[in-house]
Amino acid sequence: MVSPPSQSQRLGRYTLLRRLASGGMGEIYLAEAQGAANFTKQVAIKRILPHLARNPDFVTRFIDEANVMVQLHHGNIVPVLELGDQDGELYLVMEYLPGRDLKAVIHALRRKDTVMSPELAFWLTAEICAGLDYAHRKVDGNDRALDIVHRDVSPSNIVLGSAGAVKLVDFGIARAEGRLQNSISGTLQGKFVYMSPEQAEGRNISSKSDIFSTGLVLYELLSTIRPFEGESETETLRLVRTLDIQPVSSHRPSIAPEIDAIVGKALERDPENRYESAADMGRAIRHYLAITESRVGADALATFLGELFPE
């Protein structure tokens, strides 16, 4: 549900048009920049929630997110254009991608009691894997690994453009070398229902934690079911740690054994038994699509979104 700002507001050279989303530590607005000869460009602006804007810890996290994302230039990651400052208020300027996030898509599927085709769910997940693999392998100007782990791969952080683009957003709690603020050991950050077992237990995590979370997103796309959804956060954490996940085919019998196997490998308890990298998971998915002669792609996603959201 979008809403206009309480009053016409400007941040630097940008005019805020309406709020697109709010949650966590920030809110996102659709904004517009004006240039010469009536040139206009729409962007998305993320700002810290007003009641957190004076909290040094949240400001530091915000700067960390900017420092991570400004280095990421990939077709499956929403780019940050600049970090602005107006009268001490920091804001992130990002590419605006008209469309819906994956959370809205899954809600619509549940509401209409329908599912996404396995082929489209697979292709979409392979796009997510491509963005993650790029972030995981990213190095700085001195060829030193940035060691980025997203830590919050979830439907609300995956944006689907109306033309069929798939992009990751929100590296606000990402782990990376060079951050101003490091997480306190044992402190849980992220959405519990999409956590890997090692993340839920407060242990050191690697890029394979993101692979597990991606597996959970794929599982939900295929079945509209969240394996770890409990009646409370405590119950959810218990489900994550016990890791009793039924094959996707137990909820959707038409799912092929090969699909169960691919999802199951991403959701192995031991990180060593998961895919070696997000790229490996993406290759397994694209291999399946190739041998089944699937031709899904951005055009199929665009058509699907148009049918799911005719408005």
Side-chain angles (χ1 to χ4, degrees), residues 5-21:
S6 56
Q7 57 184 3
S8 180
Q9 296 182 44
R10 289 186 64 83
L11 282 175
R13 61 193 180 95
Y14 302 98
T15 300
L16 303 187
L17 302 178
R18 68 177 185 272
R19 188 170 63 188
L20 299 173

mmCIF file of all heavy atoms in Angstrom, residues 5-21:
data_model
loop_
_atom_site.group_PDB
_atom_site.id
_atom_site.type_symbol
_atom_site.label_atom_id
_atom_site.label_comp_id
_atom_site.label_asym_id
_atom_site.label_seq_id
_atom_site.Cartn_x
_atom_site.Cartn_y
_atom_site.Cartn_z
ATOM 1 N N PRO A 5 3.802 11.407 0.977
ATOM 2 C CA PRO A 5 4.408 11.994 2.162
ATOM 3 C C PRO A 5 3.392 12.896 2.843
ATOM 4 O O PRO A 5 2.446 13.381 2.215
ATOM 5 C CB PRO A 5 5.588 12.800 1.604
ATOM 6 C CG PRO A 5 5.853 12.229 0.245
ATOM 7 C CD PRO A 5 4.532 11.765 -0.250
ATOM 8 N N SER A 6 3.574 13.108 4.146
ATOM 9 C CA SER A 6 2.628 13.937 4.884
ATOM 10 C C SER A 6 2.573 15.341 4.304
ATOM 11 O O SER A 6 1.588 16.037 4.412
ATOM 12 C CB SER A 6 3.025 13.989 6.366
ATOM 13 O OG SER A 6 4.360 14.449 6.495
ATOM 14 N N GLN A 7 3.638 15.786 3.678
ATOM 15 C CA GLN A 7 3.660 17.065 2.989
ATOM 16 C C GLN A 7 4.734 16.983 1.909
ATOM 17 O O GLN A 7 5.536 16.076 1.892
ATOM 18 C CB GLN A 7 3.975 18.190 3.969
ATOM 19 C CG GLN A 7 5.296 17.986 4.712
ATOM 20 C CD GLN A 7 5.539 19.068 5.754
ATOM 21 O OE1 GLN A 7 4.727 19.925 5.970
ATOM 22 N NE2 GLN A 7 6.692 19.007 6.371
ATOM 23 N N SER A 8 4.663 17.896 0.950
ATOM 24 C CA SER A 8 5.657 17.902 -0.107
ATOM 25 C C SER A 8 7.038 18.086 0.504
ATOM 26 O O SER A 8 7.290 19.052 1.216
ATOM 27 C CB SER A 8 5.356 19.028 -1.093
ATOM 28 O OG SER A 8 6.324 19.041 -2.112
ATOM 29 N N GLN A 9 7.924 17.125 0.260
ATOM 30 C CA GLN A 9 9.244 17.169 0.866
ATOM 31 C C GLN A 9 10.325 17.070 -0.206
ATOM 32 O O GLN A 9 10.134 16.458 -1.246
ATOM 33 C CB GLN A 9 9.425 16.003 1.848
ATOM 34 C CG GLN A 9 8.487 16.044 3.036
ATOM 35 C CD GLN A 9 8.756 14.883 3.977
ATOM 36 O OE1 GLN A 9 9.897 14.568 4.288
ATOM 37 N NE2 GLN A 9 7.716 14.237 4.428
ATOM 38 N N ARG A 10 11.458 17.675 0.098
ATOM 39 C CA ARG A 10 12.609 17.573 -0.778
ATOM 40 C C ARG A 10 13.802 17.085 0.032
ATOM 41 O O ARG A 10 13.961 17.432 1.200
ATOM 42 C CB ARG A 10 12.934 18.930 -1.419
ATOM 43 C CG ARG A 10 11.929 19.378 -2.455
ATOM 44 C CD ARG A 10 12.391 20.653 -3.135
ATOM 45 N NE ARG A 10 13.631 20.467 -3.885
ATOM 46 C CZ ARG A 10 13.706 19.977 -5.123
ATOM 47 N NH1 ARG A 10 12.598 19.630 -5.750
ATOM 48 N NH2 ARG A 10 14.870 19.853 -5.739
ATOM 49 N N LEU A 11 14.606 16.260 -0.618
ATOM 50 C CA LEU A 11 15.883 15.842 -0.062
ATOM 51 C C LEU A 11 16.913 16.157 -1.131
ATOM 52 O O LEU A 11 16.928 15.531 -2.198
ATOM 53 C CB LEU A 11 15.886 14.345 0.269
ATOM 54 C CG LEU A 11 15.179 13.899 1.547
ATOM 55 C CD1 LEU A 11 15.184 12.387 1.652
ATOM 56 C CD2 LEU A 11 15.822 14.512 2.771
ATOM 57 N N GLY A 12 17.751 17.142 -0.866
ATOM 58 C CA GLY A 12 18.703 17.559 -1.879
ATOM 59 C C GLY A 12 17.971 18.019 -3.123
ATOM 60 O O GLY A 12 17.049 18.832 -3.068
ATOM 61 N N ARG A 13 18.336 17.427 -4.255
ATOM 62 C CA ARG A 13 17.687 17.810 -5.509
ATOM 63 C C ARG A 13 16.493 16.929 -5.857
ATOM 64 O O ARG A 13 15.960 16.998 -6.976
ATOM 65 C CB ARG A 13 18.710 17.763 -6.648
ATOM 66 C CG ARG A 13 19.337 16.396 -6.899
ATOM 67 C CD ARG A 13 20.541 16.526 -7.821
ATOM 68 N NE ARG A 13 21.178 15.238 -8.088
ATOM 69 C CZ ARG A 13 20.910 14.479 -9.152
ATOM 70 N NH1 ARG A 13 20.003 14.871 -10.030
ATOM 71 N NH2 ARG A 13 21.542 13.336 -9.332
ATOM 72 N N TYR A 14 16.066 16.105 -4.898
ATOM 73 C CA TYR A 14 14.988 15.160 -5.150
ATOM 74 C C TYR A 14 13.688 15.588 -4.452
ATOM 75 O O TYR A 14 13.701 16.035 -3.303
ATOM 76 C CB TYR A 14 15.373 13.758 -4.662
ATOM 77 C CG TYR A 14 16.629 13.242 -5.308
ATOM 78 C CD1 TYR A 14 17.866 13.342 -4.655
ATOM 79 C CD2 TYR A 14 16.607 12.669 -6.567
ATOM 80 C CE1 TYR A 14 19.027 12.875 -5.250
ATOM 81 C CE2 TYR A 14 17.771 12.198 -7.172
ATOM 82 C CZ TYR A 14 18.971 12.311 -6.508
ATOM 83 O OH TYR A 14 20.116 11.856 -7.099
ATOM 84 N N THR A 15 12.573 15.422 -5.148
ATOM 85 C CA THR A 15 11.253 15.660 -4.571
ATOM 86 C C THR A 15 10.618 14.313 -4.253
ATOM 87 O O THR A 15 10.514 13.449 -5.139
ATOM 88 C CB THR A 15 10.347 16.424 -5.555
ATOM 89 O OG1 THR A 15 10.952 17.684 -5.866
ATOM 90 C CG2 THR A 15 8.969 16.665 -4.953
ATOM 91 N N LEU A 16 10.205 14.115 -3.016
ATOM 92 C CA LEU A 16 9.565 12.861 -2.634
ATOM 93 C C LEU A 16 8.130 12.860 -3.144
ATOM 94 O O LEU A 16 7.354 13.771 -2.858
ATOM 95 C CB LEU A 16 9.579 12.699 -1.111
ATOM 96 C CG LEU A 16 10.957 12.746 -0.431
ATOM 97 C CD1 LEU A 16 10.821 12.408 1.050
ATOM 98 C CD2 LEU A 16 11.939 11.804 -1.103
ATOM 99 N N LEU A 17 7.757 11.822 -3.886
ATOM 100 C CA LEU A 17 6.425 11.737 -4.475
ATOM 101 C C LEU A 17 5.466 10.918 -3.617
ATOM 102 O O LEU A 17 4.355 11.355 -3.344
ATOM 103 C CB LEU A 17 6.516 11.126 -5.879
ATOM 104 C CG LEU A 17 7.415 11.874 -6.875
ATOM 105 C CD1 LEU A 17 7.444 11.141 -8.214
ATOM 106 C CD2 LEU A 17 6.928 13.307 -7.059
ATOM 107 N N ARG A 18 5.902 9.740 -3.211
ATOM 108 C CA ARG A 18 5.057 8.922 -2.343
ATOM 109 C C ARG A 18 5.900 7.850 -1.687
ATOM 110 O O ARG A 18 6.954 7.468 -2.210
ATOM 111 C CB ARG A 18 3.892 8.288 -3.104
ATOM 112 C CG ARG A 18 4.283 7.228 -4.119
ATOM 113 C CD ARG A 18 3.042 6.606 -4.756
ATOM 114 N NE ARG A 18 3.355 5.510 -5.652
ATOM 115 C CZ ARG A 18 3.629 5.633 -6.933
ATOM 116 N NH1 ARG A 18 3.634 6.813 -7.483
ATOM 117 N NH2 ARG A 18 3.896 4.564 -7.666
ATOM 118 N N ARG A 19 5.419 7.358 -0.537
ATOM 119 C CA ARG A 19 6.141 6.301 0.166
ATOM 120 C C ARG A 19 5.784 4.964 -0.460
ATOM 121 O O ARG A 19 4.612 4.657 -0.675
ATOM 122 C CB ARG A 19 5.787 6.307 1.648
ATOM 123 C CG ARG A 19 6.659 5.364 2.473
ATOM 124 C CD ARG A 19 6.468 5.559 3.957
ATOM 125 N NE ARG A 19 5.114 5.240 4.358
ATOM 126 C CZ ARG A 19 4.627 5.473 5.575
ATOM 127 N NH1 ARG A 19 5.390 6.045 6.483
ATOM 128 N NH2 ARG A 19 3.392 5.156 5.875
ATOM 129 N N LEU A 20 6.803 4.167 -0.728
ATOM 130 C CA LEU A 20 6.604 2.854 -1.332
ATOM 131 C C LEU A 20 6.578 1.740 -0.299
ATOM 132 O O LEU A 20 5.869 0.757 -0.461
ATOM 133 C CB LEU A 20 7.721 2.571 -2.350
ATOM 134 C CG LEU A 20 7.825 3.539 -3.533
ATOM 135 C CD1 LEU A 20 9.077 3.215 -4.356
ATOM 136 C CD2 LEU A 20 6.584 3.456 -4.407
ATOM 137 N N ALA A 21 7.381 1.875 0.745
ATOM 138 C CA ALA A 21 7.476 0.810 1.748
ATOM 139 C C ALA A 21 8.083 1.366 3.018
ATOM 140 O O ALA A 21 8.784 2.376 3.007
ATOM 141 C CB ALA A 21 8.323 -0.347 1.218
#
